[in-house]
Amino acid sequence: MFFIPRFLKPKKNLLQILRVNAGIDTKTDANKLLKMVDVYNEPLPLVFLLACAIIKTNKSQLTNQLAGVISHERFGNAMNMSAFQKICKLYNEHNIPVLAQKGLVQKLLYPQSTRPMNDADFAVPKNLYRDAIDLATENGFHINHDMLFSADLQFKDMGCVDVHYSLFKGANPTMDALIWSRAKKISTNGLDILIPCDEDILIIIMCEFYGNYLFEAGSKDTAICDIFGQHPQWVLDAHKIISDNPNLNWGRIMQTAQMSEYDYQIKILARLLNKIIPGIVSEHALKIIDHFCPDHVVRKYLRRDKKIVYLHKINHKFYTTGKY
C-alpha cells in the first residue's frame, strides 16, 4: 500500500470547487463557494474555477471581480487561439506537422468549453523543430522563453504559443514517436492538426501535471500547497476524457507510460482522481494499473521525487540569494 503524497492533495476549498465543476456536487450554494477563496490572493486558475462553479450554482451571485476573471481568461484564450491559428497555417503551408497538447486539445475537441490556457501548446517533429522556430520568427513571432524542450513564442503583443519538440520533460524519444504515430488528423477552420489518441491525451494530462509539480516545487514563489491551485484544470480535463471514453485501454496507457518510467505517476494520479471524483476510474482499471505498476515501484519513485524537490529547493535558495 502507498499513500498519496501530501503535496499532491488539493486544499479542501479546491476539492469542493472541482466537484461542483465536474457536476458531482449539486448541493453547495454560491454563498458557500464565495467564502472559500480569497479572490485577491489565491492562484488565478483556482479563482477562475471558483467563478465557473458559481455560474453553475447561482449565476446571479457572480461578483464583478469574478466576472472580470472569466472575461480575462476568455480574452486570453481568444488571443492564444488566434496566435495558434496563424502559426499552424504557416506550418501547414511548409509541411511541418502540428500535434496539439494539453489545453489546446481540449479547446479543439470541446470548443464551447470555458477552459483557461496560458498559451497554446503543441509539438512539431524534432528534426523540424529548428526550422519551425526560425520560420515563426521570420513571420512576426518573437521568442519569450527558449527552454530545454520548447520555445514560448508570442505574436506581436497578442497571444502566445509554446512549440515543443519533446512531448514531456525527460521523456524517452520512443514514447514520443509512438504518440505521434497514433495521433489522428482533424481539420478545423481550414487547418490540419494532429490530435493524440484518447489514451495518449490522458497520459499527457496526468504526466504534465506531475512534471509541473517536480519542476515548480523548488520555488519559494510557489508554495507546495499552491501547486495544485496553479494547475487544477488537469482534474476536469481527465474527468472529461474518461467520462467520454468508457472503453479507454488502460493497459495501453500503462505500457506507454512505462516507456519513460512515468507509470507510477499515472497510478498516483488515478488514485488521487478517484478521491476527488469518486469512482471516475473504475475498479477494473485500477486492477490493470496495479498489475503494470505494483505499490513498491511507486514507493521507490516517490522517495526519489522527494529528493528531487529537496535539491530544487536548495538550488533555488542559493540562486535567489546569490550564495553560490
Side-chain angles (χ1 to χ4, degrees):
M1 183 66 183
F2 72 92
F3 296 97
I4 297 170
R6 178 183 59 82
F7 53 72
L8 283 175
K9 294 179 180 178
K11 291 187 288 187
K12 187 176 181 180
N13 58 3
L14 177 55
L15 182 68
Q16 199 153 0
I17 290 167
L18 286 168
R19 287 175 173 169
V20 172
N21 277 302
I24 66 168
D25 180 350
T26 57
K27 296 180 180 179
T28 300
D29 62 26
N31 285 326
K32 185 174 182 180
L33 289 170
L34 283 168
K35 293 176 182 177
M36 289 181 176
V37 175
D38 179 351
V39 297
Y40 296 103
N41 294 308
E42 293 283 8
L44 184 61
L46 190 160
V47 177
F48 172 79
L49 288 186
L50 169 67
C52 292
I54 290 172
I55 288 175
K56 287 179 179 289
T57 60
N58 187 345
K59 188 175 181 178
S60 67
Q61 295 296 309
L62 192 69
T63 66
N64 289 336
Q65 291 90 343
L66 293 176
V69 168
I70 289 180
S71 297
H72 169 79
E73 291 293 345
R74 285 176 175 166
F75 179 77
N77 282 358
M79 292 296 98
N80 292 336
M81 289 302 294
S82 176
F84 169 71
Q85 290 168 359
K86 182 174 182 63
I87 202 170
C88 187
K89 182 175 185 293
L90 185 65
Y91 289 170
N92 280 180
E93 290 170 351
H94 288 80
N95 298 315
I96 299 176
V98 168
L99 177 69
Q101 292 181 259
K102 301 189 302 185
L104 179 58
V105 171
Q106 305 305 313
K107 297 300 291 184
L108 292 170
L109 293 180
Y110 313 106
Q112 300 306 313
S113 66
T114 307
R115 197 245 188 239
M117 292 192 303
N118 290 328
D119 48 34
D121 282 85
F122 63 90
V124 299
K126 185 175 181 179
N127 64 323
L128 296 176
Y129 176 73
R130 194 70 265 162
D131 292 341
I133 300 302
D134 291 343
L135 188 62
T137 56
E138 290 165 5
N139 286 271
F141 287 83
H142 62 266
I143 299 176
N144 282 338
H145 303 287
D146 195 355
M147 293 164 280
L148 187 58
F149 302 110
S150 66
D152 186 21
L153 306 178
Q154 184 170 351
F155 182 67
K156 297 182 179 179
D157 293 326
M158 300 170 67
C160 294
V161 297
D162 197 358
V163 186
H164 298 245
Y165 72 78
S166 177
L167 296 177
F168 300 99
K169 301 175 181 74
N172 183 334
T174 307
M175 178 181 174
D176 277 4
L178 186 60
I179 292 175
W180 273 92
S181 72
R182 295 196 294 230
K184 57 189 177 185
K185 183 183 288 187
I186 66 167
S187 293
T188 177
N189 297 320
L191 303 173
D192 290 332
I193 307 162
L194 291 167
I195 301 286
C197 72
D198 296 325
E199 288 81 5
D200 293 339
I201 291 172
L202 192 60
I203 293 170
I204 292 171
I205 289 168
M206 289 186 161
C207 295
E208 181 65 22
F209 169 71
Y210 199 96
N212 281 333
Y213 158 70
L214 287 179
F215 183 74
E216 296 175 14
S219 171
K220 70 175 183 180
D221 299 322
T222 307
I224 294 294
C225 61
D226 287 337
I227 290 173
F228 210 137
Q230 295 284 1
H231 306 281
Q233 199 66 35
W234 78 272
V235 171
L236 299 178
D237 290 348
H239 174 252
K240 184 68 174 171
I241 290 296
I242 296 171
S243 298
D244 286 0
N245 299 280
N247 296 318
L248 276 174
N249 188 332
W250 285 92
R252 172 188 278 188
I253 290 170
M254 295 303 289
Q255 285 178 322
T256 305
Q258 275 183 339
M259 298 176 74
S260 294
E261 298 182 340
Y262 292 163
D263 50 329
Y264 79 101
Q265 299 179 11
I266 300 292
K267 179 164 180 171
I268 291 171
L269 295 184
R271 294 283 180 86
L272 177 57
L273 194 60
N274 256 12
K275 288 186 177 295
I276 299 170
I277 305 174
I280 185 64
V281 182
S282 69
E283 287 298 320
H284 177 66
L286 291 174
K287 288 179 181 178
I288 293 172
I289 292 170
D290 288 343
H291 170 75
F292 281 94
C293 185
D295 286 353
H296 70 85
V297 174
V298 179
R299 290 194 293 268
K300 179 184 77 172
Y301 282 107
L302 281 177
R303 287 194 295 270
R304 182 202 64 178
D305 288 352
K306 289 177 181 178
K307 292 177 181 177
I308 290 173
V309 171
Y310 177 70
L311 292 173
H312 280 183
K313 285 183 177 180
I314 293 176
N315 180 64
H316 186 82
K317 179 181 178 181
F318 275 75
Y319 179 76
T320 53
T321 59
K323 296 178 180 179
Y324 52 86

